[in-house]
Structures are given as structure tokens and as C-alpha cells.
């Protein structure tokens, strides 16, 4: 049919094609091509396909090509080249397969495009099949094709296979060397890439733009900044300086400079600022956390009518999540859609991350669901987004679904999901992930090993942490810091110090995090020397410029009682954060220096430092007047801090301290009804105000709204029951505790034992004690005190003996209960043994211990021994202790001891009328009326009167 057409028709068609400059003009020509049967004219067809690609309509070329009954080699190669240039690799492989079906031959021009498509699509198996075809057709020694395979294997299979293929290439050219360098860089093997570059230099092969474009980022990652600058000089000398590929690479290289001056100069000197050049500088700003300037550069790029690409948006999105708010993020998302990147996976992944970090996790989910082709990175972003937004269960679901979709978790997935397990308190979940890590051989990865170590440290499983640490093949500073931190937070300061010394000996680099981990455990005066040593080390190593570390050192000095040192360090700080102010403020508050706290807060406001909720929490407990508390309440309202639960609970307690329970209730009602901390606070307020019925009513109300109580709630409930003192209520509470599993908490069980002992059922208290799976010192003390309350001193002493045999060390409260029990039972010898045992165990007796012993001896008539204890006290005796001995002197008629005790009381408490009355009674009982009258005369002269007795019973 084509042969019958006049030559004039063919020449007319060529003329039309030649002058066709629009897509709209090509479409009618395509129709004419098919209708007139001109599609079989190879020359005409090739010209039409070229025009399609030239005008940017590859789809028109594709639809035309599929109409060709028997494509030839030239048409095939033309299509492959055009589709490759447009990045349409799926269509490229489809065209190639069609040509193979029609037995269209392939040549050395065909295969590089097909191999490139396989590489871009990650089609490793198909690429290997092409390799077999290439070898079968005898192109195995073709350098161009082998170079394409070097790039393919390096990016999709194994870089070592690529290296082997390179070594087998007979005469590799510079393009082959560049493919190998690029392959090593792609796989993160920068040192190997640098080695290949050295080989290129050794063979006197002159590197070209592609070589430099690959090796400069490798130098940057390796920290070879000087060598990179040398390459910059080489590029200028060779005339490569203004190449579009190299300018972005050099700009990125200079991002390590603090002021980015060199990067900006390179950008300014660029003649043609392509999108890659803009992207490079934007990325420099973002990498240096100069988000505002980076975003402004992006806006300038748009004003200059430079069309952004996916890399631009991926680089710019972090500015919204780190510097701006959701409004800017939403605007940037609109810009993404406007420029046609709304379905680009890399851009969608960046937007998902931004929305998740800004707390808009629902927007992240929408984008994730709309994603046409999910990647491992997008799954990881979704999982970490759930974790960062405290949606722990959702992160576990996503982790499971990711595997069901055929994606194998990587290091990022494991680290994120371990964090979720830790926050869920799921030790078994974390152990399952640990097993998964072991099964997939992830334990060799230092980041995964550190994440597993951190998981177990969150549960304070010290032995597990230590064994895991010992088995780690590689340890870095993070590994050491995690182990030091877990021992420090578990109260094992000595062990933490030992590990710190081991780290130093092993050559581990102590950083500010190391010092922060150990300093946080120094809370006693005996830790001061070690704290000073670490402070000295921080100064010597230059870490003292770290504001967070300086804050920790201030806290250490304050905790160890060196407030002057803490204040001095605070005063000389060149830069202070709100934590700096809070650290010193907390130190003052813990040492009851209320005026200093208020003065520091005033200074903080004068220096325009905005307080945070910790500042408010330091102020509220020291308010001396109700108006002060109300002022702080008003400040919290004005600044929005009132929404924070700790601030609300502190306000509740503050108003309760001033007896304003109604205001406490008002603050409680302002909070979130589902927050158990607020319910605990209001219950505690009612308990301290002796409103036991109200506390129980609050507990009943929280159950009615289906709010789950915690152990603090239950402890408040038990305290309420103690006040009510009804056994039937105690039984109901115990049943609830067992039903909800709170009985496994030793603190709750101890409180329950105390409740039953105080309600009169010491038998039930003892049953609860005996059935405890784990007993601490408080368990023993509470049970011993229970026997004391019931006057069973023998029972208390027998239990004390068992406590010592069990290896549990009694504390000061245990001894106080025992001495009181002995005192009420008159067991003098046993009391002496208890006091001697206390001293032998290294527990320093306090006023209450000596008071019990003096009372015991005095009641038993051992007045001289009791008086001897009073004389040898390391501190001033209490009025109760002295009056107890004075009363015993009256009982036993010992005037001499009575006079001595009165002299002590007279010096300490000259206006105490009761002491005069007791001495008068001693003289009267001994018949010394003259002395008795003298005492009465002194009382009258001092205007002291005996407080009259009264009866609670009516007439």
C-alpha cells in the first residue's frame, strides 16, 4: 500500500514532521500514519518516533510503536534510547520483550539500555538472564556492555561480583573504572572506592567529571576534607569547575564549614544554577540545622522559576518538622502536589515523617495508605512515627503488617520496635524481638546491640545487661554509657564507677553523655569528691561547654550539699537554658531555702528566661501565703502550662496545704478525667484532710467512669480504710486488690498488712505477710509494728529474730517499733538487747529510739540508767522524753532525779507549766512542802497556770 503512494505524499509527510513543534500537531500525524499505512515505512516511522521523544511525548511514541507489525533493530534501539532518557524503564523492558517476541535482533547498542533499566528497577533476575544472552551472542568482551553490567551488579546483586567482572574485562576504559568507583560508593564502601581512585591515578588515567562526581562525596564521608579541596583545585585546572555534576558535589563537600561561606561562594559563582545546584545548597543548610535559611533558599528558588524535583522536596521538608509548624508543612505539601510529585514515594515518605513529628499521625497514615508502592523506608517511617507519638500498640501492628507484606525488618525497624516494647512494659515482647535479632544475625550490628541493651536497662535487669554487654563483639561509647546509666539509676553507684574506670582503661572515649549518666547518680555528700573529679575531667576534655553537662554538674553540687559551688558554676555560665535555672532552683528547694528559690525565679523573669513546668513545680511547694500560690496559678493559666498534669496535681496539693479543699476540687475538675494522676492527687488530699469517706467516694467515682486505677490509687484507698477503721471495708478492698492483681506489688501488700493490723485483725495481717512471695525491709517492719499495736512484744521480737536470720537488715523504723513494743510490755532486758543490736548493725539511734528506751527504763524503775542515757545523748533531748522521766521520778518518789530533769526542762522550756506541776507533785509526795510551795510561787510569778482537765462525757 505504501508503494502505491506518490512520492509527493511521502515528502509532504516528512515536511509536516519537520515543521511540527507541538504535541497537538503530532497526534493527527499519528492518525494519518496509521490510516494511510505509512507505519510500514521504516524511514518515516523513525522520524516520527524521534519527533515524539523530542517533543516530550514518549507515550505517543509507545502507542505508535505497538502498532508496528515487525519492528526492526533501528526502531527498537531508537525506542530504547528514548525511553531510557525519559526514565521509563518498565516500558523500556516491555518494548525489548516485544522485539524479542518478533525475533528482532539485538546489538551492542541495545544491551546497555536494557541493562540500565534492569539496574534502575532492581530487576536482578532479569538482568542475569540478559547477561546470559549477552554471553551467548558473543558480546562478553564488549567494554561498553561489560561496564553496564559492572554498574548493574554493584547496585543490585553484589559489589564483589562487579569487581570480579571488572577484573575479567580485557581493557577497561575510564567509564568502566567510574562504574566500579560509583558501585563502591553506592554500597557505602568509601575506602574501597578511594582505593580504586588511587589505582586510576597510578595508571595515569585522567579522571573525568563522572569520576570526580563519585569520589568527592566519598571524600566528604571519610572526612578527607583536604584531599577534597585538592580535587577541587584539580577540577578548576582541568576546566571541569563549572560542570553541572561537579558544582553540587563541591557545595556538599563544603557543608562541614560552620558558616558555609565556601558553599555559598560556589553557588554564587555558578553560571547556570540547575536544580541540582539549588538542592546541594539547600541540603547544606538543612544538614547544619539552619532550617530557616534553607527554607528561604527554597522560596528564592521558586521565585527564580527553577522547577524543583523530588530531591528538593526531600531536602526541604525537614525544615518544617524542625523549625516551622504544621501550617508551613501543609503549604509545602500543596507545593509538592502542584509540581506533580504527590505520588513520588521518596517525597511522600519525607512528608509522612514530617506529619508524624508534628503530631499529625493521622495525616501520615493517609499518605501511607495512598502510597502506590510502599518501600521498607516508608514502613520504617510509619513505625517510628507511631513510636514518637506514643502509639505503641499501633507500631507493633505496623511491624507485623510490614512482614506480612514481604518486607524484612532492618536495623531501623528493630531499634524503633524495641523502643515501643520498652514503653509498653512488655518484657516478653522485647525478648521476642531479641530472639528475632539473634535469628536474623542482627546482633553483629552495633546499633541493634545497643538498642537491645537499652531495652533491658529500661527494666533494670542488671545481670542480663551485663551478660549482653560482655558478649558484644564491638562496643562503642553508647554501649558503655547505657551500662553505666543502668547501674547508676539502679543505685549501684560503686559498680557504675567501676564500669567508668573500665571504659577509660579500654580506651573508650568519655563524652558528655558518659558524664551525664554517672553524675545523675551522685546524690549524697559522700559522692562529692568523685563528682569534683568528673567536673575536672569535663573541664580538661572541653566538655564543660556543653550546657546540659553543666546543668548536671550544678545538680550534682546541690544534691551533695555544695550549694555555693552550684551557685558559682551557675553564675559563670556563658549561656543558660531553662534547665540551668531549674537545676539551681531545685537544689535550693531541697535544702528548704525558699527565699533563694523566689529570688532566683525573680532573676529568671528579669533576664527574660521563660519558665517551664519544672520551674512552676519548684515554686508551688514553697508558697508561704495563699496569694503567692494563686499568682503562680494565674501565671500557669496565662502561659498554657495549666494543661500539664504535674502542674495541676501540684496546684491541688498547694491549695490543700492552705486548707482550701474546695479550690483543690476546682483544679481537679479542670484536668482530663481520664488522667489517673489527678484522681490520685485528690484522693491523697482527702486522706490528709482526714476525709476518709470522701476519698472512698472518689475511688468509687473513678470506677464508675471505667478508669483503671494504679498502685498509687490503691495505696490511697488503703490509707482511707485505715482512717475509717472498718474490717468489712478492709475485706472488700483486699478482694478488689487480689482481683486486679495489685497484691503482686510488695508496696501494696505491705500497706494491706498494716491496714489489717490497725483494724484489729493481726491474724489476717500475719497470713498476708507469710504468703508474700517477696519480702522487703518494710514488710518485716510493718508486721513487727502490727504486733506492737496489739501489745504482743514477744511476737514482735520473735519476728525480729526471723528477720535477722533471713539476712534482711532492719532499718530505723523496725527498731523504733521493737523498742516501743518492749516499752509497753516492760521488757527491759530485751529493750537493751534491741538497742545494742541497733548500734552493732550500724544504724544510728534517733530521738524516738532513745525516747522509747528512756520511757522503758523509767517505767521499770531504772531511773539512774535512764538519766544516764539522757546525759549522754549526742543531741538535745525532746520534751516528751524528759517529761516521761520526770513522771517516773514522781511515780518512784525519786526527788534527786526529778530535780535534775526539771533543771534541764527549765533551761530548754522555761514557760512549760506541766514541768512545774510535775515537780510540785514530786515534792508534795515526798513531804517537801516548802519546796513544793516555792515551785508554786515561781509558777505564779511567771503567770503559768495548770491546764484544767476536761471530760468528753456529758454530765
Amino acid at each position: 500500500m505504501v508503494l502505491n503512494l506518490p512520492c509527493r505524499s511521502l515528502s509532504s509527510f516528512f515536511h509536516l514532521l519537520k515543521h511540527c513543534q507541538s504535541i497537538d500537531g503530532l497526534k493527527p500525524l499519528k492518525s494519518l500514519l496509521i490510516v494511510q499505512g505509512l507505519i510500514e515505512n521504516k524511514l518515516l516511522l523513525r522520524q516520527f518516533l524521534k519527533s515524539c521523544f523530542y517533543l516530550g511525548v514518549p507515550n505517543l511514541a509507545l502507542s505508535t510503536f505497538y502498532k508496528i507489525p515487525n519492528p526492526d533493530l533501528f526502531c527498537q534501539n531508537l525506542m530504547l534510547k528514548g525511553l531510557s532518557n525519559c526514565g521509563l524503564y518498565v516500558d523500556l523492558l516491555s518494548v525489548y520483550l516485544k522485539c524479542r517476541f518478533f525475533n528482532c535482533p539485538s546489538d551492542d547498542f541495545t544491551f546497555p539500555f536494557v541493562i540500565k533499566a534492569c539496574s534502575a528497577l532492581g530487576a536482578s533476575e532479569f538482568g542475569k538472564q540478559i547477561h546470559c544472552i549477552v554471553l551467548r551472542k558473543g558480546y562478553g568482551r564488549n567494554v561498553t556492555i561489560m561496564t553496564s553490567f559492572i554498574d548493574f551488579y554493584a547496585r543490585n546483586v553484589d559489589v564483589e561480583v562487579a569487581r570480579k567482572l571488572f577484573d575479567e574485562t580485557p581493557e577497561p576504559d575510564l567509564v568502566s573504572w567510574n562504574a566500579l568507583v560509583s558501585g563502591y560508593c553506592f554500597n557505602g564502601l568509601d575506602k574501597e572506592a578511594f582505593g580504586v581512585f588511587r589505582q586510576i591515578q597510578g595508571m595515569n588515567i585522567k579522571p573525568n567529571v563522572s569520576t570526580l562526581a563519585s569520589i568527592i562525596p566519598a571524600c566528604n564521608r571519610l572526612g578527607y576534607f583536604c584531599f577534597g579541596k585538592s580535587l577541587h583545585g584539580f577540577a578548576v585546572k582541568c576546566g571541569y569547575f563549572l560542570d553541572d555534576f561537579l558544582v553540587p558535589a563541591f557545595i556538599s563537600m563544603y557543608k562541614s564549614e560552620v558558616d558555609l561561606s565556601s558553599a555559598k561562594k560556589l553557588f554564587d559563582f555558578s553560571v547556570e544554577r540547575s536544580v541540582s545546584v539549588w538542592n546541594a545548597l539547600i541540603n547544606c543548610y538543612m544538614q547544619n540545622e539552619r532550617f530557616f535559611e534553607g527554607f528561604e533558599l527554597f522560596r528564592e528558588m521558586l521565585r527564580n522559576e527553577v522547577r524543583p524535583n523530588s530531591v528538593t522536596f526531600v531536602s526541604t521538608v525537614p525544615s518544617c518538622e524542625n523549625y516551622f509548624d504544621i501550617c508551613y508543612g501543609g503549604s509545602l505539601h500543596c507545593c509538592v502536589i502542584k509540581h506533580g510529585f504527590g505520588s513520588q514515594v521518596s517525597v511522600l515518605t519525607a512528608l509522612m515523617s514530617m506529619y508524624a513529628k508534628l503530631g499529625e499521625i493521622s495525616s501520615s497514615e493517609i499518605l501511607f495508605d495512598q502510597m502506590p508502592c510502599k518501600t521498607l523506608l516508608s514502613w520504617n517511617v510509619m513505625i517510628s512515627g507511631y513510636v514518637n507519638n506514643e502509639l505503641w500498640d499501633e507500631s507493633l501492628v505496623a511491624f507485623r503488617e510490614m512482614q506480612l507484606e514481604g518486607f524484612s525488618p532492618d536495623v531501623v525497624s528493630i531499634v524503633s520496635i524495641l523502643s515501643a516494647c520498652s514503653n509498653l512494659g512488655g518484657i516478653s515482647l522485647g525478648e521476642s524481638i531479641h530472639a528475632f535479632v539473634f535469628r536474623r544475625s542482627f546482633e553483629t550490628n552495633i546499633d541493634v546491640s545497643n538498642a537491645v541493651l537499652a531495652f533491658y536497662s529500661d527494666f533494670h535487669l542488671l545481670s542480663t545487661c551485663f551478660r549482653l554487654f560482655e558478649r558484644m563483639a564491638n562496643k562503642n561509647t553508647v554501649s558503655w554509657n547505657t551500662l553505666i546509666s543502668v547501674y547508676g539509676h539502679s543505685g549501684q553507684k560503686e559498680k557504675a564507677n567501676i564500669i567508668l574506670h573500665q571504659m577509660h582503661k579500654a580506651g573508650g572515649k568519655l563524652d558528655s553523655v558518659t558524664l551525664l549518666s554517672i553524675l545523675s547518680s551522685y546524690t549524697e555528700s559522700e559522692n562529692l569528691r568523685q563528682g569534683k573529679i568528673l567536673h575536672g575531667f569535663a573541664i580538661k576534655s572541653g566538655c564543660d561547654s556543653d550546657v546540659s553537662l553543666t546543668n548536671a554538674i550544678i545538680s550534682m553540687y546541690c544534691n551533695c550539699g555544695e550549694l555555693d559551688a552550684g551557685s558559682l558554676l551557675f553564675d559563670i555560665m556563658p549561656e543558660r537554658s531553662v534547665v540551668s535555672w531549674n537545676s539551681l532552683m531545685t537544689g535550693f528547694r531541697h535544702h528548704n531555702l525558699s527565699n533563694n528559690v523566689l529570688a532566683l525565679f525573680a532573676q529568671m523573669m528579669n533576664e527574660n528566661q521563660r519558665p517551664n513546668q519544672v520551674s512552676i513545680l519548684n515554686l508551688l511547694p514553697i508558697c508561704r501565703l495563699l496569694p503567692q500560690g494563686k499568682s503562680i496559678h494565674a501565671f500557669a493559666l496565662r502561659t498554657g502550662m495549666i494543661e500539664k498534669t504535674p502542674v495541676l496535681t501540684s496546684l491541688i496539693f498547694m491549695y490543700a496545704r492552705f486548707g482550701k479543699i474546695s479550690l483543690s476540687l476546682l483544679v481537679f475538675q479542670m484536668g482530663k478525667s481520664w488522667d489517673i494522676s489527678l484522681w490520685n492527687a485528690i484522693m491523697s488530699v482527702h486522706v490528709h484532710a482526714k476525709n476518709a469517706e470522701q476519698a472512698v467516694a472518689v475511688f468509687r467515682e473513678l470506677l464508675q467512669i471505667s478508669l483503671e486505677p494504679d498502685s498509687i490509687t490503691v495505696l490511697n484507698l488503703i490509707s482511707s480504710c485505715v482512717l475509717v477503721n472498718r474490717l468489712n471495708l478492709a475485706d472488700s478492698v483486699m478482694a478488689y486488690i487480689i482481683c486486679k492483681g495489685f497484691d503482686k506489688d510488695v508496696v501494696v501488700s505491705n500497706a494491706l498488712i498494716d491496714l489489717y493490723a490497725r483494724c484489729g485483725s493481726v491474724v489476717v495481717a500475719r497470713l498476708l505477710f507469710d504468703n508474700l512471695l517477696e519480702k522487703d525491709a518494710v514488710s518485716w517492719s510493718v508486721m513487727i509494728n502490727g504486733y506492737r499495736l496489739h501489745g504482743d512484744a514477744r511476737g514482735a521480737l520473735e519476728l525480729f529474730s526471723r528477720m535477722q536470720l533471713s539476712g534482711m537488715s532492719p532499718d530505723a523504723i523496725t527498731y523504733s517499733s521493737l523498742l516501743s513494743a518492749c516499752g509497753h510490755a516492760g521488757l527491759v532486758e530485751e529493750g537493751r538487747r534491741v538497742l545494742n543490736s541497733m548500734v552493732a548493725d550500724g544504724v544510728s539511734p534517733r530521738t524516738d529510739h532513745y525516747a522509747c528506751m528512756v520511757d522503758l527504763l523509767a517505767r521499770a524503775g531504772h531511773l539512774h540508767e535512764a538519766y544516764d542515757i539522757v546525759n549522754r545523748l549526742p543531741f538535745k533531748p525532746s520534751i516528751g522524753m524528759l517529761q516521761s522521766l520526770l513522771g517516773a521520778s514522781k511515780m518512784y518518789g525519786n526527788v534527786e532525779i526529778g530535780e535534775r530533769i526539771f533543771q534541764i526542762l527549765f533551761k530548754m522550756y522555761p514557760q512549760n507549766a506541766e514541768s512545774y506541776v510535775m515537780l510540785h507533785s514530786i515534792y508534795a509526795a515526798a513531804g517537801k512542802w516548802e519546796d513544793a510551795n516555792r515551785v508554786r510561787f515561781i509558777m505564779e510569778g511567771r503567770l503559768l497556770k495548770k491546764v484544767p482537765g476536761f471530760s468528753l462525757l456529758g454530765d
Side-chain angles (χ1 to χ4, degrees):
M1 186 176 179
V2 176
L3 296 174
N4 296 330
L5 283 171
C7 293
R8 193 168 54 185
S9 299
L10 291 175
S11 61
S12 299
F13 199 90
F14 270 114
H15 181 76
L16 287 171
L17 271 176
K18 186 178 179 181
H19 291 87
C20 183
Q21 298 296 322
S22 68
I23 299 169
D24 293 334
L26 273 178
K27 288 179 180 178
L29 286 177
K30 177 195 170 186
S31 302
L32 185 63
L33 192 72
I34 296 169
V35 170
Q36 294 294 329
L38 299 176
I39 198 166
E40 294 185 20
N41 186 302
K42 303 300 181 185
L43 192 62
L44 200 60
L45 177 64
R46 292 167 193 168
Q47 189 61 41
F48 178 78
L49 294 176
K50 283 181 183 178
S51 298
C52 288
F53 285 118
Y54 176 76
L55 293 174
V57 278
N59 290 333
L60 191 61
L62 266 172
S63 61
T64 306
F65 178 79
Y66 284 128
K67 299 288 184 181
I68 303 171
N70 292 301
D72 63 357
L73 176 62
F74 193 89
C75 267
Q76 172 189 250
N77 290 348
L78 180 64
M79 285 297 298
L80 296 181
K81 181 183 177 182
L83 292 170
S84 179
N85 291 339
C86 293
L88 300 172
Y89 299 114
V90 174
D91 295 316
L92 187 153
L93 292 182
S94 176
V95 166
Y96 173 73
L97 289 171
K98 181 191 174 181
C99 291
R100 282 200 68 197
F101 180 78
F102 286 104
N103 296 317
C104 179
S106 300
D107 62 3
D108 56 349
F109 191 81
T110 310
F111 291 114
F113 294 119
V114 177
I115 298 163
K116 182 182 178 181
C118 292
S119 181
L121 294 171
S124 55
E125 292 304 317
F126 190 69
K128 290 176 184 177
Q129 290 175 26
I130 299 297
H131 195 175
C132 294
I133 295 169
V134 164
L135 294 174
R136 202 162 55 240
K137 287 186 175 292
Y139 291 114
R141 299 180 67 81
N142 184 291
V143 175
T144 305
I145 295 174
M146 287 302 105
T147 300
S148 299
F149 275 122
I150 290 167
D151 181 72
F152 164 75
Y153 280 109
R155 292 175 182 274
N156 295 279
V157 182
D158 189 347
V159 72
E160 291 306 317
V161 175
R163 179 73 209 212
K164 186 179 178 183
L165 199 61
F166 175 84
D167 293 337
E168 292 172 355
T169 304
E171 293 181 7
D173 58 8
L174 181 57
V175 180
S176 308
W177 285 98
N178 288 346
L180 189 61
V181 171
S182 176
Y184 276 127
C185 291
F186 180 80
N187 287 277
L189 302 170
D190 294 323
K191 287 188 177 179
E192 287 79 355
F194 197 74
V196 173
F197 180 75
R198 286 294 194 191
Q199 282 182 271
I200 294 172
Q201 288 181 308
M203 296 178 70
N204 292 322
I205 301 173
K206 183 182 176 182
N208 63 7
V209 171
S210 297
T211 322
L212 296 177
S214 294
I215 205 64
I216 290 166
C219 291
N220 192 20
R221 290 189 293 269
L222 289 169
Y224 297 166
F225 187 61
C226 292
F227 190 81
K229 291 174 80 173
S230 301
L231 289 178
H232 189 178
F234 175 79
V236 173
K237 183 180 176 182
C238 295
Y240 301 151
F241 172 60
L242 296 177
D243 189 277
D244 283 348
F245 287 102
L246 284 188
V247 173
F250 282 123
I251 288 175
S252 298
M253 183 183 75
Y254 286 109
K255 71 183 176 185
S256 57
E257 290 185 345
V258 177
D259 60 352
L260 299 177
S261 57
S262 298
K264 285 187 284 189
K265 283 177 184 176
L266 277 172
F267 177 81
D268 293 337
F269 289 148
S270 298
V271 179
E272 292 184 12
R273 294 176 187 169
S274 65
V275 65
S276 301
V277 174
W278 286 92
N279 290 345
L281 190 59
I282 289 171
N283 188 55
C284 283
Y285 281 118
M286 297 304 172
Q287 292 287 319
N288 284 272
E289 297 185 0
R290 292 165 67 170
F291 302 112
F292 179 78
E293 291 164 279
F295 194 82
E296 284 301 305
L297 190 65
F298 169 71
R299 294 175 66 183
E300 186 185 341
M301 176 184 175
L302 295 178
R303 286 194 293 269
N304 280 271
E305 297 183 353
V306 178
R307 179 179 168 80
N309 60 15
S310 59
V311 177
T312 317
F313 289 114
V314 170
S315 299
T316 309
V317 164
S319 65
C320 296
E321 66 190 40
N322 290 294
Y323 188 83
F324 298 109
D325 57 17
I326 194 65
C327 296
Y328 279 85
S331 299
L332 189 59
H333 190 176
C334 292
C335 192
V336 165
I337 296 169
K338 178 184 173 183
H339 285 89
F341 293 99
S343 58
Q344 187 80 255
V345 173
S346 59
V347 179
L348 283 175
T349 304
L351 287 169
M352 280 167 51
S353 176
M354 176 198 72
Y355 280 121
K357 288 181 180 177
L358 292 173
E360 294 287 332
I361 193 68
S362 58
S363 298
S364 295
E365 289 174 329
I366 292 168
L367 290 178
F368 183 70
D369 293 337
Q370 291 175 352
M371 196 171 283
C373 183
K374 295 178 178 67
T375 63
L376 179 59
L377 178 61
S378 58
W379 279 103
N380 283 343
V381 166
M382 205 65 240
I383 292 168
S384 62
Y386 283 130
V387 171
N388 292 334
N389 284 274
E390 300 182 2
L391 300 169
W392 323 118
D393 291 315
E394 286 83 350
S395 68
L396 289 173
V397 172
F399 184 74
R400 178 173 172 272
E401 286 179 354
M402 177 181 78
Q403 295 176 78
L404 292 174
E405 291 286 330
F407 290 92
S408 294
D410 64 357
V411 172
V412 178
S413 322
I414 299 296
V415 171
S416 295
I417 209 66
L418 277 170
S419 176
C421 294
S422 177
N423 284 286
L424 279 169
I427 184 70
S428 57
L429 284 171
E431 287 173 338
S432 300
I433 300 296
H434 188 185
F436 179 87
V437 165
F438 185 78
R439 195 166 62 248
R440 296 291 182 92
S441 301
F442 275 123
E443 73 275 5
T444 55
N445 185 285
I446 189 70
D447 293 324
V448 173
S449 295
N450 287 338
V452 174
L453 184 65
F455 167 77
Y456 286 116
S457 72
D458 287 339
F459 292 91
H460 300 285
L461 300 172
L462 302 185
S463 57
T464 305
C465 287
F466 191 76
R467 284 198 305 272
L468 188 64
F469 179 81
E470 288 291 299
R471 287 202 302 267
M472 286 172 69
N474 299 307
K475 302 177 182 74
N476 61 8
T477 304
V478 176
S479 318
W480 288 98
N481 289 349
T482 304
L483 195 65
I484 290 168
S485 179
V486 67
Y487 276 102
H489 290 150
S490 298
Q492 298 197 25
K493 301 169 194 173
E494 292 302 319
K495 183 67 176 175
N497 282 324
I498 291 168
I499 296 168
L500 181 69
H501 291 304
Q502 286 176 347
M503 177 184 179
H504 191 58
K505 277 186 179 179
K509 186 180 178 183
L510 278 69
D511 60 8
S512 57
V513 179
T514 317
L515 300 178
L516 280 166
S517 300
I518 195 77
L519 281 168
S520 61
S521 66
Y522 292 167
T523 56
E524 305 293 339
S525 55
E526 56 263 27
N527 305 134
L528 181 60
R529 182 175 171 274
Q530 191 68 25
K532 285 182 175 179
I533 292 170
L534 291 183
H535 186 187
F537 178 83
I539 295 170
K540 185 179 176 182
S541 60
C543 294
D544 60 323
S545 58
D546 187 307
V547 177
S548 299
L549 180 59
T550 307
N551 295 340
I553 295 171
I554 291 171
S555 294
M556 180 273 296
Y557 278 122
C558 291
N559 291 334
C560 295
E562 286 287 327
L563 292 174
D564 291 339
S567 300
L568 181 62
L569 190 56
F570 175 83
D571 291 337
I572 63 173
M573 283 180 77
E575 181 187 348
R576 299 178 189 134
S577 66
V578 66
V579 180
S580 313
W581 295 88
N582 290 340
S583 299
L584 191 59
M585 213 180 288
T586 304
F588 286 144
R589 182 172 65 83
H590 284 165
H591 289 83
N592 299 316
L593 299 172
S594 305
N595 290 335
N596 297 61
V597 176
L598 293 171
L600 193 62
F601 180 74
Q603 183 187 345
M604 183 182 188
M605 297 300 290
N606 289 335
E607 294 189 18
N608 295 320
Q609 175 63 67
R610 181 182 171 86
N612 63 7
Q613 62 168 323
V614 178
S615 318
I616 301 301
L617 294 175
N618 274 318
L619 286 171
L620 285 170
I622 64 159
C623 293
R624 295 175 182 172
L625 301 168
L626 184 59
Q628 282 181 330
K630 286 185 173 180
S631 299
I632 297 166
H633 187 175
F635 179 82
L637 271 169
R638 198 165 61 249
T639 55
M641 281 185 276
I642 196 71
E643 296 176 5
K644 305 288 184 181
T645 298
V647 174
L648 284 172
T649 53
S650 191
L651 282 167
I652 288 169
F653 289 126
M654 182 272 293
Y655 282 121
R657 224 164 11 96
F658 291 108
K660 302 293 182 181
I661 306 298
S662 58
L663 292 178
S664 293
L665 286 166
L666 192 64
V667 173
F668 167 73
Q669 288 161 6
M670 288 171 60
K672 297 167 184 172
S673 61
W674 46 262
D675 197 326
I676 193 63
S677 302
L678 293 172
W679 292 84
N680 291 343
I682 203 68
M683 280 185 73
S684 179
V685 163
H686 283 309
V687 169
H688 283 94
K690 309 297 181 188
N691 297 329
E693 299 290 349
Q694 288 294 325
V696 175
V698 169
F699 179 77
R700 192 181 301 118
E701 187 180 343
L702 74 88
L703 289 182
Q704 286 171 353
I705 65 169
S706 302
L707 186 63
E708 284 296 322
D710 60 13
S711 56
I712 305 297
T713 323
V714 173
L715 289 171
N716 280 324
L717 180 63
I718 292 172
S719 299
S720 306
C721 295
V722 169
L723 293 173
V724 174
N725 203 14
R726 288 206 304 264
L727 201 56
N728 60 340
L729 182 59
D731 289 339
S732 300
V733 169
M734 182 172 71
Y736 177 82
I737 287 170
I738 294 170
C739 178
K740 290 293 183 178
F742 286 111
D743 56 317
K744 296 178 180 66
D745 187 330
V746 68
V747 177
V748 173
S749 294
N750 292 342
L752 205 55
I753 292 166
D754 183 60
L755 170 64
Y756 272 97
R758 292 180 185 277
C759 287
S761 185
V762 75
V763 175
V764 175
R766 182 57 189 261
L767 280 171
L768 288 169
F769 173 80
D770 290 337
N771 288 320
L772 280 178
L773 296 174
E774 183 184 345
K775 299 180 180 73
D776 59 8
V778 177
S779 310
W780 293 91
S781 298
V782 165
M783 194 62 238
I784 288 168
N785 188 57
Y787 282 121
R788 177 192 71 81
L789 290 171
H790 288 261
D792 188 356
R794 296 292 177 188
L797 289 166
E798 182 269 331
L799 195 61
F800 175 68
S801 300
R802 282 186 57 191
M803 180 182 183
Q804 289 179 310
L805 290 171
S806 72
M808 186 67 67
S809 299
D811 58 12
I813 297 171
T814 315
Y815 284 113
S816 182
S817 297
L818 280 168
L819 288 169
S820 178
C822 291
H824 285 93
L827 303 176
V828 177
E829 201 56 45
E830 287 80 354
R832 289 194 186 108
R833 280 201 296 271
V834 168
L835 189 64
N836 292 333
S837 173
M838 182 179 185
V839 175
D841 287 343
V843 181
S844 300
R846 300 188 309 233
T847 304
D848 55 325
H849 299 106
Y850 284 118
C852 287
M853 197 63 210
V854 167
D855 184 64
L856 170 60
L857 292 169
R859 284 171 183 271
H862 301 277
L863 300 180
H864 287 282
E865 187 179 349
Y867 178 71
D868 190 46
I869 289 175
V870 170
N871 263 345
R872 288 188 287 106
L873 282 177
F875 40 75
K876 286 184 179 181
S878 65
I879 187 170
M881 185 191 303
L882 295 172
Q883 287 184 343
S884 172
L885 188 51
L886 193 61
S889 300
K890 172 189 171 185
M891 186 191 305
Y892 288 100
N894 194 323
V895 178
E896 180 189 354
I897 297 293
E899 287 176 335
R900 291 178 186 176
I901 294 299
F902 178 78
Q903 289 301 321
I904 299 171
L905 279 166
F906 180 75
K907 288 178 184 176
M908 292 173 63
Y909 311 102
Q911 296 299 112
N912 186 276
E914 192 176 348
S915 304
Y916 291 92
V917 172
M918 292 175 75
L919 183 63
H920 177 274
S921 299
I922 290 170
Y923 283 138
K928 295 187 174 185
W929 295 106
E930 187 176 335
D931 292 329
N933 290 332
R934 180 168 50 83
V935 170
R936 183 181 288 276
F937 178 75
I938 293 170
M939 281 184 72
E940 289 173 355
R942 289 178 175 270
L943 303 176
L944 298 174
K945 292 183 179 180
K946 178 182 176 182
V947 179
F950 64 92
S951 174
L952 293 173
L953 302 175
D955 293 336

